[in-house]
């Protein structure tokens, strides 16, 4: 519940986190030095419990039953959040794939997203490089590399020069 309460998760991401045994907490060495070498017994770290895959499956099924886990909703929210931070569809698709979301779910979520990627690319470029956008090849290539790194497609980048001329 704590994991789902912090932020949305996809099924594969939640499954991976549930199968990872919790790490024992240890205080930093600087904290121990400040305790003036008290005569305390050192705490013996407990062995992490073995996590049963059947229990993880039950938790996943329970989350689906209650509507707390849905890859399509997760993908839509993720796309919305990441696009608002200035990332393009290509990079968002890559990140969702790394999180284990199915490719068909990603494609459908990107289709249904109400994001104008060309406008996002233009706003991001003018924010970073000023208006009007540079037209000399050296400076224009910087804009191109920046937007490619942010995950925009080549066609979207070319459209900012073609469709948004001042």
């Amino acid at each position: 519940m704590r994991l789902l309460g912090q932020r949305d998760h996809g099924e594969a991401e939640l499954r991976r986190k549930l199968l990872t045994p919790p790490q024992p907490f240890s205080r930093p060495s600087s904290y121990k030095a400040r305790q003036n070498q008290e005569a305390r017994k050192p705490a013996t770290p407990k062995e992490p419990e073995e996590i049963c895959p059947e229990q993880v499956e039950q938790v996943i099924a329970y989350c689906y039953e209650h509507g707390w886990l849905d890859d399509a909703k997760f993908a839509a929210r993720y796309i919305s959040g990441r696009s608002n931070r200035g990332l393009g569809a290509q990079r968002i698709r890559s990140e969702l794939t790394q999180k284990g979301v199915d490719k068909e779910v990603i494609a459908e979520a990107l289709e249904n997203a109400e994001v104008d990627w060309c406008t996002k690319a233009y706003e991001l470029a003018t924010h970073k490089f000023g208006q009007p956008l540079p037209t000399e090849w050296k400076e224009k290539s910087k804009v191109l590399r920046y937007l490619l790194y942010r995950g925009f497609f080549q066609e979207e980048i070319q459209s900012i020069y073609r469709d948004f001329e001042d």
Side-chain angles (χ1 to χ4, degrees), residues 42 44 83 96 106 112 126 128 135 138 141-142 150 163:
T44 56
S83 66
L96 284 171
I106 297 170
N112 296 334
T126 55
K128 174 83 173 172
T135 54
K138 188 175 180 180
S141 65
K142 287 181 183 179
R150 301 291 289 196
D163 299 339

Side-chain angles (χ1 to χ4, degrees), residues 123-142:
E123 290 171 355
L124 195 62
T126 55
H127 180 75
K128 174 83 173 172
F129 296 98
Q131 200 168 11
L133 288 172
T135 54
E136 290 187 27
W137 173 246
K138 188 175 180 180
E139 294 300 316
K140 196 173 181 180
S141 65
K142 287 181 183 179

Side-chain angles (χ1 to χ4, degrees), residues 11-20 50-64 69:
E11 177 185 345
E13 184 180 23
L14 182 63
R15 183 183 312 277
R16 181 183 50 80
K17 285 185 177 183
L18 290 174
L19 286 171
T20 304
E50 196 61 35
I51 298 172
C52 179
E54 291 81 27
Q55 290 176 329
V56 172
E57 290 302 322
Q58 289 175 348
V59 170
I60 298 288
Y62 184 81
C63 290
Y64 271 117
L69 193 61

